[in-house]
Amino acid sequence: HAQKLPSERDLGVLSLWPEVRKLYGHNTELFCLTSTVTARTALPVTDRENDGDDDDDDVAIVASSAKARDVENASIRLWDVEQGKCLQILKGGHRSTVATLSFSPNGQYLSSSGKDRRLCIWRRNTASSDGTHPSSSSSSPL
């Protein structure tokens, strides 16, 4: 038999996903969000167990973008979920709102595409915190 959907009144009171933490940093409303956990769970189970890169498997990083009214806000923020802090701000690849984000399964690359019709591939650089480099040391998109 069909399960009855909760009423509108009940939706305001009940939560299937209780809030755990808030991350502040964007100046406008969020537009896109992804995580390294989502990318890892997209792999078949056999690949997850044998990916050969166990260093960062327990670190959950979230990438977020917000509506950009100017080039300065056309950025991506990388967040450490456990610490609740912004790790890096990736700038220079887009000129308007970043519309899609996706991590590679190993979490070392992040792809982004924007309303400016640019596609950027960002390589994770844990030694540097300037966050201004897609793919290589250049800040121009592919």
Side-chain angles (χ1 to χ4, degrees):
H1 75 95
Q3 186 174 357
K4 184 180 174 184
L5 295 174
S7 69
E8 188 173 337
R9 177 183 54 89
D10 291 338
L11 287 174
V13 177
L14 303 173
S15 176
L16 297 175
W17 297 94
E19 183 179 290
V20 176
R21 175 170 288 131
K22 289 184 181 181
L23 304 172
Y24 296 97
H26 290 290
N27 295 327
T28 59
E29 60 271 19
L30 285 181
F31 196 86
C32 188
L33 191 71
T34 192
S35 76
T36 53
V37 175
T38 303
R40 281 194 299 267
T41 57
L43 284 174
V45 174
T46 54
D47 290 345
R48 277 186 254 159
E49 293 169 356
N50 301 316
D51 68 355
D53 183 17
D54 297 329
D55 296 342
D56 296 321
D57 281 352
D58 58 347
V59 176
I61 295 176
V62 169
S64 62
S65 67
K67 286 188 177 179
R69 295 184 177 106
D70 54 31
V71 174
E72 182 64 27
N73 288 313
S75 61
I76 301 163
R77 288 183 178 262
L78 299 178
W79 305 89
D80 181 314
V81 175
E82 289 299 315
Q83 295 181 23
K85 70 176 189 176
C86 182
L87 298 172
Q88 284 184 305
I89 301 173
L90 306 175
K91 294 182 178 183
H94 294 282
R95 298 193 185 280
S96 66
T97 300
V98 176
T100 63
L101 296 165
S102 183
F103 278 103
S104 63
N106 68 1
Q108 296 302 306
Y109 294 92
L110 174 67
S111 63
S112 62
S113 65
K115 290 190 171 188
D116 56 4
R117 300 197 288 174
R118 292 177 177 218
L119 171 67
C120 296
I121 307 296
W122 306 81
R123 183 178 53 223
R124 187 167 170 198
N125 184 357
T126 55
S128 171
S129 62
D130 66 354
T132 56
H133 49 80
S135 187
S136 64
S137 59
S138 159
S139 64
S140 60
L142 296 176

